[in-house]
Amino acid sequence: MEAVKKQDVRTRQRLLESACQVFAEKGYRDATIADISELAGTNVAAVNYHFGDKEALYVESWRLAFHKSLEAYPPDGGISPNAPPEERFRGRVFAVMQRFAYSKNYEFEIMSKELANPTGLLAEVIRESIEPLRQEFGRIIRELLGTRASEKQIQFCQMSVMAQCTNVMLHERNRKLFDQAGIKTGLPFENFNVETMADHVTRFSLAGLREIRRLIEAGELTDQNTDSPENSEMRY
Amino acid sequence: MEAVKKQDVRTRQRLLESACQVFAEKGYRDATIADISELAGTNVAAVNYHFGDKEALYVESWRLAFHKSLEAYPPDGGISPNAPPEERFRGRVFAVMQRFAYSKNYEFEIMSKELANPTGLLAEVIRESIEPLRQEFGRIIRELLGTRASEKQIQFCQMSVMAQCTNVMLHERNRKLFDQAGIKTGLPFENFNVETMADHVTRFSLAGLREIRRLIEAGELTDQNTDSPENSEMRY
DNA sequence: GTATATTTTAAATGAGCATTTAAAATATAC
DNA sequence: GTATATTTTAAATGCTCATTTAAAATATAC
């Protein structure tokens, strides 16, 4: 049970890598153990032997996918911590988009499927993985917004930036799907290029951040303004 | 076969409305015909009798959800076509976010699940539904970017704005899920408010658009800059 | 009111799938 | 080399689910 032997590790590892790929392509529910073990060249029972069940395999797959992705593209984008915040900002945006863009990094596909259609199985482990990155990025945004920005204002802005990074990728993937299905989309990005997109998102967002900062410092944007009053209708 | 009688319409309608709800909650694959027909108070065979199969019901559900959503929140946000583009912009952003925010509009949940994990069944019908809105919004962005903006630049900016609208909602939904699961998120939006969020997205984005316009008009942003060169790695 | 067409129902069918089982194969310990 | 522990395998199990069937119920036409 405890002792992990060589051969063991090898099948376990193959299984895990296949699982990342299949979960990324199909999502938890549509991925079958048969798919995964066929791709890994093992028997279906191997999954249950090595991981217990499909759920545990899913969680382990996320961990591996995230780990590999982060290893391939360090989150600071290679920018020195002493660089001006605008540059560190661009580094982060670029790194996120690379992590999401390269299809062998299954991080993005697994996560976006999970977020849209949650199984609940990854809630904790995704949060654990991502929270440190979120904090680091938040600190850069704080610098850009100035000392008078509230926590909530920082989080709103962070959301605006990250939203662009993820949606670019969803967009791009779906354009590919539409193309394959022979549907004319009128959508952009025919020659998709991560660097170009990162530049756009950076330019657009830095301008947004400067404006929010200006408003805060001109006193035209109190926290109340960005905070929620009790008036308009709530969701649910 | 052809003639549609009264009682017929009623069960058909109940089935359709239940289907919207269940597909929105669970996505295509996890929604079962048993779920749907139970909610509608009909027999499971009724689905096949009235719609043929689950796939056709899914497509019809999207149509209904989208139609109702648009009816409840007109896409221009009630802003006159003669208003300045900034106001029309805000109207659109607000309308989109309302459509997405109110949970009885199943549009958002069905669409975001479909986009993250495509069945392919909605590709055409979603595009058909959304394309006119996309065009109208594109025209507003064109006004804001000025006459020298390229089509690609407009589409990039449009993506940046829509990305924020959709991600706010995903974010919010998942915060609720995390809360329910008792997981501390550190995520924002404790008192979620559509108007506040629409204001933020509008402010942030209008600043981004002004900056892109400035760069275009200063000649610092040729279409080449925003277009894709052949250098860096492509996805897939 | 009777005959015909439509709609609803309960039960059956059969496919897909995660998981289990127990035997066979392989590695490890001594 | 033999005994023991680990790993792999093919087949079986049992559950969920979409879809079908054919009989019963209900509506419509005349």
Side-chain angles (χ1 to χ4, degrees):
Chain A
M1 268 304 177
E2 317 275 291
V4 176
K5 303 299 154 53
K6 284 170 212 163
Q7 185 58 26
D8 201 359
V9 170
R10 253 186 272 140
T11 27
R12 202 190 129 94
Q13 196 59 23
R14 261 182 303 134
L15 224 30
L16 206 45
E17 280 163 14
S18 306
C20 286
Q21 185 177 334
V22 175
F23 284 131
E25 278 167 15
K26 307 196 174 180
Y28 179 76
R29 185 66 147 75
D30 286 341
T32 70
I33 290 187
D35 288 338
I36 293 167
S37 41
E38 190 184 5
L39 188 62
T42 70
N43 188 274
V44 288
V47 166
N48 294 69
Y49 180 74
H50 287 283
F51 296 93
D53 57 15
K54 190 184 173 185
E55 297 192 353
L57 177 60
Y58 185 51
V59 177
E60 287 308 306
S61 298
W62 159 260
R63 277 193 226 274
L64 178 65
F66 182 75
H67 176 79
K68 280 184 148 185
S69 177
L70 218 60
E71 203 171 53
Y73 302 102
D76 61 9
I79 306 296
S80 153
N82 304 316
E86 286 81 0
E87 273 184 46
R88 279 177 285 135
F89 180 88
R90 191 199 178 277
R92 293 259 157 190
V93 167
F94 191 36
V96 169
M97 292 188 58
Q98 280 185 305
R99 299 214 319 276
F100 288 180
Y102 298 112
S103 59
K104 278 182 209 154
N105 293 329
Y106 301 116
E107 177 193 6
F108 174 70
E109 290 291 338
I110 295 177
M111 185 170 63
S112 66
K113 286 183 173 66
E114 174 66 23
L115 290 185
N117 211 342
T119 62
L121 300 169
L122 301 187
E124 292 159 55
V125 72
I126 286 186
R127 203 196 60 79
E128 263 173 41
S129 320
I130 287 191
E131 189 59 20
L133 301 182
R134 217 181 65 78
Q135 302 258 350
E136 288 165 25
F137 195 40
R139 260 174 254 130
I140 294 175
I141 291 182
R142 176 188 300 275
E143 282 183 68
L144 290 165
L145 284 182
T147 48
R148 292 172 57 189
S150 72
E151 196 55 34
K152 192 154 278 185
Q153 284 160 341
I154 291 165
Q155 289 176 329
F156 279 17
C157 288
Q158 185 160 1
M159 192 281 307
S160 285
V161 179
M162 289 303 298
Q164 294 175 71
C165 297
T166 55
N167 266 52
V168 167
M169 291 302 144
L170 266 189
H171 218 256
E172 169 59 11
R173 163 156 68 62
N174 286 316
R175 199 192 51 68
K176 287 220 169 82
L177 278 177
F178 279 27
D179 274 3
Q180 282 168 21
I183 299 166
K184 266 181 51 187
T185 56
L187 293 179
F189 313 156
E190 278 164 49
N191 293 305
F192 182 79
N193 177 284
V194 175
E195 202 157 346
T196 306
M197 287 306 313
D199 282 339
H200 165 75
V201 171
T202 302
R203 267 194 297 270
F204 190 94
S205 301
L206 283 178
L209 289 166
R210 276 194 299 271
E211 169 70 358
I212 303 281
R213 177 176 193 153
R214 191 187 68 74
L215 291 170
I216 291 170
E217 294 184 346
E220 291 173 38
L221 199 66
T222 63
D223 202 21
Q224 253 78 330
N225 263 15
T226 317
D227 204 78
S228 16
E230 307 295 331
N231 48 6
S232 82
E233 279 177 285
M234 295 286 161
R235 189 161 190 243
Y236 295 126
Chain B
M1 268 306 176
E2 318 275 293
V4 175
K5 303 299 155 51
K6 282 171 214 161
Q7 184 59 24
D8 201 0
V9 171
R10 254 186 272 141
T11 29
R12 202 190 128 93
Q13 195 59 22
R14 260 182 304 133
L15 225 30
L16 205 46
E17 281 165 14
S18 305
C20 286
Q21 185 177 334
V22 176
F23 284 131
E25 278 167 15
K26 307 196 174 181
Y28 179 75
R29 186 64 148 78
D30 287 341
T32 70
I33 290 187
D35 288 338
I36 294 167
S37 41
E38 189 185 5
L39 189 63
T42 70
N43 187 274
V44 287
V47 166
N48 295 68
Y49 179 76
H50 287 283
F51 296 93
D53 57 15
K54 190 183 172 185
E55 297 193 354
L57 177 60
Y58 185 51
V59 176
E60 286 309 305
S61 298
W62 159 260
R63 277 193 226 275
L64 177 65
F66 182 75
H67 176 80
K68 280 184 148 185
S69 177
L70 217 60
E71 203 171 53
Y73 302 101
D76 61 8
I79 305 296
S80 154
N82 304 316
E86 286 82 0
E87 274 184 46
R88 279 178 285 134
F89 180 89
R90 190 198 180 279
R92 294 258 157 190
V93 167
F94 191 36
V96 169
M97 292 188 58
Q98 280 185 308
R99 298 215 318 277
F100 288 179
Y102 298 112
S103 60
K104 278 181 210 154
N105 292 329
Y106 302 115
E107 176 194 8
F108 173 70
E109 290 290 337
I110 295 176
M111 185 171 61
S112 65
K113 285 184 175 66
E114 175 65 23
L115 291 185
N117 210 342
T119 62
L121 299 169
L122 301 188
E124 291 159 55
V125 72
I126 286 186
R127 205 196 60 79
E128 263 173 43
S129 319
I130 287 191
E131 189 57 20
L133 301 183
R134 217 181 63 80
Q135 302 258 353
E136 288 165 24
F137 195 40
R139 260 173 255 130
I140 295 176
I141 290 182
R142 176 186 300 277
E143 283 183 68
L144 290 166
L145 283 182
T147 49
R148 294 173 55 191
S150 71
E151 196 55 35
K152 193 154 280 187
Q153 284 160 340
I154 291 165
Q155 290 176 328
F156 279 16
C157 287
Q158 186 160 1
M159 192 282 304
S160 286
V161 179
M162 289 303 297
Q164 293 175 72
C165 297
T166 55
N167 266 54
V168 167
M169 290 304 143
L170 267 189
H171 217 256
E172 169 59 12
R173 165 157 66 64
N174 286 316
R175 199 192 51 70
K176 286 220 171 81
L177 280 177
F178 279 26
D179 275 3
Q180 281 168 22
I183 298 167
K184 267 181 55 188
T185 56
L187 292 178
F189 313 157
E190 278 165 47
N191 292 305
F192 182 80
N193 177 285
V194 175
E195 202 156 346
T196 306
M197 287 306 313
D199 283 338
H200 164 76
V201 171
T202 302
R203 268 195 297 269
F204 189 94
S205 301
L206 284 177
L209 289 166
R210 277 193 300 270
E211 168 70 358
I212 302 281
R213 177 175 193 154
R214 190 187 68 73
L215 290 170
I216 292 170
E217 295 183 345
E220 292 174 37
L221 199 66
T222 64
D223 203 20
Q224 252 78 331
N225 263 14
T226 317
D227 205 76
S228 16
E230 307 294 332
N231 49 5
S232 83
E233 280 178 283
M234 294 287 162
R235 192 162 189 241
Y236 295 128

